């Protein structure tokens, strides 16, 4: 008594039981002997021989129309389609009855998965946006309808074929709302103006007025140029740092010019001549201008910006 | 004008002649268009639009107005450089970058009297045939940007801007464009690049003279805030009357900004050339601080060459030549040029005897090293080297030869760069070394000379042999 029926090359198939045999060899799926054969569905093409199966004499078919075959394994029924070839690269089952797309994988073993690190875009690689304690003061970059509308208004200030002129105005809108210029915002500005992102990045990296990392909630820009330096702006800077516990030692003069307090509330930066040399020393706190801010007035200045 | 009252403590000095700053610190004054109109504002706009554009330019030429942005170029002549057969749109740009250290005059116009600037711009745009104008304002004037945009909206509502201004058929839109804290955006071609949304790398002249090839390669007139405001007063007075203010070839008024070591620093609008350093620093600014003496003055923004207060100069040519002490120099374009410096942007920085020149030099070299755009090698490298050498001098680590090295670097920048920033960074260094060489050398020491171990051993051996 034959214990097995050989089914022509692969079929689909109860995925939970399927065994993929790898290695380029033709795939052979062994199906155990059916407990029961649904005789009504069988198409026998008789060859004349017969065989006794389970006590019943069955004529041996020359060929079985497999598409109709119903195997019953114990309590489970499966329908095996006609033979198929598996293209191992794409896992497309080519069956005689048509093309069946097979799902990518039966099951994913999460432990075995290898995660490849996210590939940084060139813009992300070149924007220096380390997380600072000031980050908490600003929402993450997001294109709101309001921002989009403002951008369109700015773009309308320039001739139709010169929308690139709006790079600075758009970046100002972004920085004002989100605190600094992030890689995503650069991509957005570039997309909005239909120019390459590098043309936005080169602007961001040139102008000291654009920041690549979050400042404090109150960003103090102290003038360091001659008249203010004579009036005591370096001393003012020192005092501000002392009060706010800001450490300026990591600044590098060109790329990283902002230092943020550990609490994230304040940040400082040296600015060049703010065009008020007659009232030295002067500084800007966010958009507010302050004149005659000597060292002694540092505490009072900070006290007026607490929340 | 005698009925104008100023805020207590902010009254103009008797030597002043206020045109542009008439409304600065004025009692009861604000930036609204109503206030400006009540004071007779926008009348000159109507007058100007009633004239031929050429006639307006003629008036400006007759007035002898010279640009107040730094170079002192005659404004009317500049307007005449737009190619006559031009078919492209013409642009007018107001240079409100005000970033030359020591200069703080435009600040008060854009914050306190925006409509004066707008009126001047409409008249100027009409004269040069521009229908679009931009005010390029430095990023560090955020309040002014808002004030100006509000003033523009008001002027538009009242029909002083926009389409068919006052029924003249002339259209003009003015937009505010904010910079981003880069000094080089004050240079007109750098400004234009910045307005085009690029890095502000200045363009080489020739061929890129803005009047022929400026914004979007179209003819563009770039004028300083103060220069454009003067146009209003030229129309009011007439070019013939205006030219009588000041001195020949240096007509009109200009705003001098005094900062540094004086008792009362501040801004003073005076007739050009009618005030000497003595009058400015002693009468108007109250003299040196107690117990101090004046040492040196930077007369026209940090880029101008420093003058020693105990110098004297030969001014004038041939028989007219006379010897003038520093204190008797009038502050006009030609005299300061003859004294080897320049009137520049009107920023007078005063230093007293408490200042070490090495420290002053160091502060200035840091500024230029930070602000060089980096486009051309002599300036980019030179400004950084000057900073490094001056760091050494200030830090007491330099040798006497370093002073010479510094001087050489400066002369190798001067005249070899794309834009005038090269000179702007080199001149102060050249002049400070020239005028204060001994003081600078005294801050150095031969002992700082780097010696290799071999050389030290050799010298030791040689000195031992000599004994
Ligand atoms: C390095 C450099 C910086 C300048 N900065 C300014 C400035 O801040 N404001 C200004 O009005 N002109 C500045 N200028 C002068 C301008 O290039 C230009 O000559 C001026 O705006 C023309 O206006 P005016 O003819 O009314 O003076 C600067 C020039 C140079 C070379
Ligand atoms: S001189 Fe200096 S600022 Fe001017 S273009 Fe050259 S590098 Fe730039
Ligand atoms: S030097 Fe500080 S405002 Fe000019």
């Amino acid at each position: 008594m034959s214990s097995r029926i050989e089914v022509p090359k692969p079929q689909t198939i109860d995925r939970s039981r399927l065994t993929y045999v790898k290695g380029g060899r033709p795939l052979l799926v062994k199906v155990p002997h059916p407990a029961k054969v649904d005789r009504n569905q069988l198409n026998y093409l008789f060859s004349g021989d017969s065989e006794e199966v389970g006590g019943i004499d069955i004529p041996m078919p020359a060929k079985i129309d497999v598409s109709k075959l119903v195997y019953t394994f114990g309590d489970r029924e499966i329908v095996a389609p006609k033979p198929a070839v598996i293209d191992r690269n794409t896992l497309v089952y080519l069956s005689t009855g048509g093309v069946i797309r097979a799902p990518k994988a039966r099951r994913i073993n999460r432990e075995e998965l290898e995660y490849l690190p996210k590939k940084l875009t060139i813009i992300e690689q070149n924007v220096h946006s380390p997380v600072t304690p000031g980050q908490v003061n600003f929402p993450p970059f997001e294109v709101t309808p309001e921002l989009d509308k403002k951008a369109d208004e700015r773009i309308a200030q320039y001739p139709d074929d010169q929308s690139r002129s709006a790079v600075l105005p758009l970046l100002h809108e972004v920085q004002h709302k989100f605190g600094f210029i992030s890689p995503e915002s650069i991509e957005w500005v570039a997309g909005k103006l239909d120019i390459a992102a590098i043309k936005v990045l080169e602007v961001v990296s040139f102008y000291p007025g654009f920041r690549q990392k979050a400042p404090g909630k109150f960003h103090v820009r102290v003038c360091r140029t001659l008249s203010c330096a004579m009036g005591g702006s370096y001393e003012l800077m020192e005092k501000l740092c002392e009060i706010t516990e800001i450490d300026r030692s990591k600044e590098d003069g060109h790329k990283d010019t902002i230092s943020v307090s550990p609490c994230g509330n304040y940040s400082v930066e040296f600015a060049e001549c703010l065009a008020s040399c007659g009232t030295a020393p002067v500084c800007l706190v966010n958009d507010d201008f302050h004149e005659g801010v000597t060292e002694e007035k540092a505490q009072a200045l900070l006290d007026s910006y607490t929340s | 004008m005698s009925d104008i009252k100023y805020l207590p403590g902010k009254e103009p000095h008797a030597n002043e002649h206020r045109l542009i700053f008439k409304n600065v610190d004025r009692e009861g004054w604000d930036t609204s268009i109503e206030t400006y109109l009540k004071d007779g504002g926008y009348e000159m706009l109507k007058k100007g639009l009633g004239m031929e554009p050429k006639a307006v330019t003629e008036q400006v030429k007759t007035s002898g107005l010279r640009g107040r942005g730094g170079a002192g170029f005659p404004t009317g002549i500049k307007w005449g450089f737009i190619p006559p057969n031009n078919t492209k749109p013409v642009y007018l740009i107001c240079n409100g970058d005000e970033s030359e250290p020591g200069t703080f005059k435009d600040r008060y116009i854009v914050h306190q009297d925006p409509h004066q600037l707008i009126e001047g711009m409409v008249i100027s745009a009409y004269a040069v045939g521009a229908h679009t104008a931009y005010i390029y304002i430095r990023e560090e004037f955020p309040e002014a940007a808002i004030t100006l945009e509000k003033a523009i909206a008001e002027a538009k509502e009242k029909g002083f801007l926009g389409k068919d201004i006052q029924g003249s058929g002339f259209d003009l839109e003015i937009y505010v464009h904010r910079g981003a804290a880069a000094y080089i955006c004050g240079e007109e071609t750098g400004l234009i690049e910045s307005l085009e949304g690029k890095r502000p790398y200045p363009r080489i002249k020739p061929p890129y003279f803005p009047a022929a090839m400026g914004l979007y390669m179209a003819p563009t007139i770039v004028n300083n805030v103060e220069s454009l405001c003067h146009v209003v007063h030229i129309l009011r007075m007439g070019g013939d009357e205006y030219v009588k203010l000041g001195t020949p070839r240096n007509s009109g008024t200009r705003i001098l900004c005094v900062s540094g070591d004086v008792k009362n620093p501040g801004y003073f609008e005076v007739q050009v050339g009618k005030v000497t350093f003595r009058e400015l620093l002693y009468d108007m600014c109250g003299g040196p601080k107690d117990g101090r003496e004046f040492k040196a003055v930077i007369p026209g923004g940090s880029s101008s060459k420093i003058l020693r207060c105990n110098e004297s100069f030969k001014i004038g040519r041939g028989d007219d030549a006379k010897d003038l002490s520093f204190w008797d120099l009038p502050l006009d374009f030609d005299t300061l040029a003859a004294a080897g410096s320049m009137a520049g942007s009107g920023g007078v920085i005063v230093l007293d005897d408490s200042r070490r020149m090495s420290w002053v030099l160091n502060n200035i070299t840091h500024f230029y090293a930070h602000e060089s755009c980096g486009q051309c090698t002599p300036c980019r490298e030179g400004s950084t080297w000057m900073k490094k050498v001056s760091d050494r001098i200030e830090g007491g680590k330099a040798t006497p030869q370093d002073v010479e090295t510094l001087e050489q670097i400066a002369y190798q920048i001067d005249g070899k760069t794309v834009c005038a920033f090269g000179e702007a960074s080199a001149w102060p260094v050249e002049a400070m070394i020239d005028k204060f060489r001994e003081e600078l050398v005294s801050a150095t020491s031969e002992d700082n000379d780097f010696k290799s171990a071999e050389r030290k051993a050799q010298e030791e051996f040689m000195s031992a042999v000599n004994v």
Side-chain angles (χ1 to χ4, degrees), chain B residues 287-303:
Chain B
K289 294 187 174 161
D290 291 333
R292 290 285 162 204
E293 272 174 46
F294 287 134
K295 176 176 183 177
V297 170
I298 301 173
S302 68
S303 308

Side-chain angles (χ1 to χ4, degrees), chain A residues 158 165 172 202 207 227 275, chain B residues 107 177 179 195 198-199 216 259:
Chain A
Y158 307 94
S165 279
H172 279 308
E202 67 172 13
Y207 292 88
S227 302
Chain B
R107 157 184 286 280
H177 183 102
L195 192 43
K198 304 174 194 159
R199 286 185 168 194
Y216 313 132
S259 64

Side-chain angles (χ1 to χ4, degrees), chain B residues 108-149:
Chain B
Y108 297 97
I109 302 171
V110 293
H111 282 91
Q112 297 191 27
D113 203 1
H115 285 288
Q116 181 184 197
L117 174 60
I118 294 173
E119 184 171 10
M121 285 183 71
V122 177
I123 302 167
S124 308
Y126 176 70
V128 303
H131 299 293
T132 307
Y134 294 97
I135 302 174
Y136 189 102
I137 186 124
R138 66 180 304 191
E139 184 260 347
E140 299 92 327
F141 288 174
E143 248 183 272
I146 295 169
T147 305
L148 283 166
E149 286 191 333

